[in-house]
Amino acid sequence: MESANRLIVWVFYAAFALLGICLAAQGRFFALAVCYGVAAAGFLAVTALRRAIGARRPYQNGGAPARIAREGENDSFPSRHCFSAFLIALLWGAAGYPAASACLLAFAALLALLRVRGGVHYPRDVAGALAFAVVFAGIALLLLA
């Protein structure tokens, strides 16, 4: 489970870099700035929200020990890993690559399942992450329209 989690996280690191490369190679610098700017703003907003809420993780509430390595405590809602994965997948769609977006959404859903089954998030954490990703992807779509 730990290896699958790490692999999927790296897929999204690569996908985010590749999105920037594709947009730059096509001379779509405004789209590049929007996608990267929205992602940065979303990441900062979700990080601040997590710290403000301070939701405990399943293993902190007497659940089974986490099966995915996790440093620190609290900051469970929303899942920042899942937010980032869902947002990157949706940004590919906003940038005009629907097939890549669909493929990445499947990986993001798998990551969400792994994070819940791995004991580091509740379903509400990954659902919240998806909701926030949709909001920020919507902002990107509005800016790119």
Side-chain angles (χ1 to χ4, degrees), residues 66-121:
R67 292 182 293 238
I68 293 175
R70 171 78 187 115
E71 294 179 15
E73 295 185 346
N74 300 337
D75 298 340
S76 183
F77 178 85
S79 167
R80 195 169 48 200
H81 278 93
C82 293
F83 167 77
S84 298
F86 283 122
L87 182 59
I88 290 166
L90 292 170
L91 287 174
W92 272 88
Y97 303 101
S101 179
C103 181
L104 289 168
L105 281 170
F107 276 104
L110 180 58
L111 178 65
L113 178 65
L114 284 170
R115 304 293 291 175
V116 171
R117 298 283 300 154
V120 294
H121 285 292

Side-chain angles (χ1 to χ4, degrees), residues 112-141:
L113 178 65
L114 284 170
R115 304 293 291 175
V116 171
R117 298 283 300 154
V120 294
H121 285 292
Y122 291 105
R124 65 151 198 245
D125 302 335
V126 299
L130 174 58
F132 283 108
V134 167
V135 168
F136 279 91
I139 293 168
L141 275 172

Side-chain angles (χ1 to χ4, degrees), residues 28-65:
R28 297 177 59 201
F29 298 108
F30 180 73
L32 174 63
V34 167
C35 288
Y36 275 48
V38 165
F43 188 84
L44 292 173
V46 165
T47 298
L49 180 64
R50 287 162 43 104
R51 290 195 179 139
I53 294 172
R56 293 171 57 86
R57 294 176 178 274
Y59 62 84
Q60 293 177 270
N61 287 331

